[in-house]
Amino acid sequence: MPQTSRRARTYHPAAVRSALAAEFTAIREQLAGLTEDQLLLPTRLGDWTVRELAVHLGFAADAVERALTAARDTPPAGAAARPLDLTGWVRGAAEAAQAIDETVRERAAGGAYDPVAAIDHLLGQLPDLAGQESLLVPTRLGTLRLADFLVTRLVESVVHADDLTAALQAADPERPDFPHDRQALAAVVRLLADTLAEQAPGGSVELRIPPFAVVQCVEGPRHTRGTPPNVVETSPLVWVRLATGRLTWEDAVEVAELTASGERSDLSALLPVMA
């Protein structure tokens, strides 16, 4: 029997703006307190130090201003003119990685770029974005509605705030966990889970990420009632790390951060969904 198509999940614009404000406010506080020694710490992102990561967080914030300017000044052309949805953005993120890496390195090396100021600008402009949700903004991968583009900023903020915490906690194990906004974390978990379900459509495996998401995926016999034969369950941040390649399936299973039951439940070949 052919699988039915999934209905695209929607995100309430006001809730997204509120989540962005909370998440980036917490990021701002972290970045503003970094010492020079902390900026030199290594991260799990190749040879980036915390300095490059901080610049990237600022770059993710001021991308809103760049997108708005591009939308108002120049009609998108070429790849940027193609309609894009959120799961398409997730799947295509790797295409922009090299260009972003080059930009981040240039800004970090120059020393003049201030990521805290970039975040302050975003926080100041968020209230003014109400009512502009349908504006089409170009990205390297295609054109998104502004409402969806702001969801991509939630992905950047949650994923890279977690990278920042990992780097700082490696040097100081007593450092507290990052205070992720609940709405921000929920939106990111759901989007990454939906991307997996779209990438591997089907109903033979149930992926559970309580309390935020449950999706069915992987072609095969569809579960209809009772306990599903193939179940994967993990926590929100572990799922984010798995879905973005920060954590391997094997390592998550080994330290009991993930449970998988059933002969079809090994999803390792489908991960990461966002590289």
Side-chain angles (χ1 to χ4, degrees):
M1 178 181 296
Q3 305 291 351
T4 57
S5 60
R6 293 177 54 83
R7 178 178 296 181
R9 194 188 301 269
T10 58
Y11 300 84
H12 192 282
V16 170
R17 291 193 302 274
S18 174
L20 266 179
E23 192 76 2
F24 269 107
T25 295
I27 290 170
R28 184 202 185 282
E29 292 176 359
Q30 300 265 331
L31 296 186
L34 292 177
T35 66
E36 186 62 30
D37 286 344
Q38 288 173 319
L39 287 169
L40 296 175
L41 291 172
T43 72
R44 59 192 181 191
L45 302 175
D47 61 352
W48 276 14
T49 65
V50 169
R51 188 185 305 279
E52 281 81 25
L53 178 53
V55 167
H56 183 62
L57 282 161
F59 187 66
D62 65 25
V64 175
E65 180 64 30
R66 296 194 307 274
L68 290 171
T69 300
R72 292 165 179 159
D73 292 351
T74 307
R82 297 179 306 200
L84 185 66
D85 61 15
L86 279 169
T87 55
W89 179 84
V90 172
R91 294 193 310 272
E95 296 178 28
Q98 182 175 348
I100 291 172
D101 177 72
E102 292 172 356
T103 300
V104 165
R105 291 178 188 278
E106 289 173 4
R107 294 188 179 191
Y113 182 73
D114 184 353
V116 172
I119 292 172
D120 284 341
H121 182 72
L122 171 64
L123 295 174
Q125 74 181 149
L126 281 174
D128 298 330
L129 300 182
Q132 299 187 57
E133 290 84 7
S134 61
L135 180 69
L136 297 178
V137 299
T139 73
R140 290 182 176 91
L141 303 174
T143 300
L144 284 167
R145 293 185 315 121
L146 178 62
D148 288 339
F149 186 73
L150 294 181
V151 177
T152 73
R153 301 307 89 193
L154 284 180
V155 176
E156 294 283 358
S157 66
V158 168
V159 171
H160 292 302
D162 190 51
D163 290 332
L164 177 63
T165 298
L168 297 176
Q169 287 182 336
D172 177 12
E174 300 301 315
R175 188 179 181 90
D177 292 337
F178 186 87
H180 288 288
D181 175 76
R182 180 181 173 86
Q183 290 185 101
L185 185 56
V188 175
V189 164
R190 290 166 183 157
L191 176 54
L192 294 173
D194 287 347
T195 304
L196 175 67
E198 186 175 288
Q199 174 184 318
S204 69
V205 179
E206 186 165 283
L207 170 63
R208 300 172 178 173
I209 310 131
F212 299 135
V214 177
V215 298
Q216 292 194 350
C217 57
V218 182
E219 188 176 26
R222 179 175 289 277
H223 164 69
T224 56
R225 65 177 63 185
T227 302
N230 302 283
V231 177
V232 175
E233 184 166 330
T234 191
S235 62
L237 274 175
V238 171
W239 168 242
V240 170
R241 294 164 189 160
L242 284 165
T244 59
R246 271 66 176 174
L247 177 66
T248 67
W249 178 274
E250 293 76 13
D251 287 345
V253 171
E254 183 176 346
V255 296
E257 291 185 324
L258 176 150
T259 59
S261 60
E263 63 181 14
R264 296 174 180 267
S265 64
D266 187 340
L267 302 179
S268 59
L270 302 174
L271 299 171
V273 298
M274 180 181 182

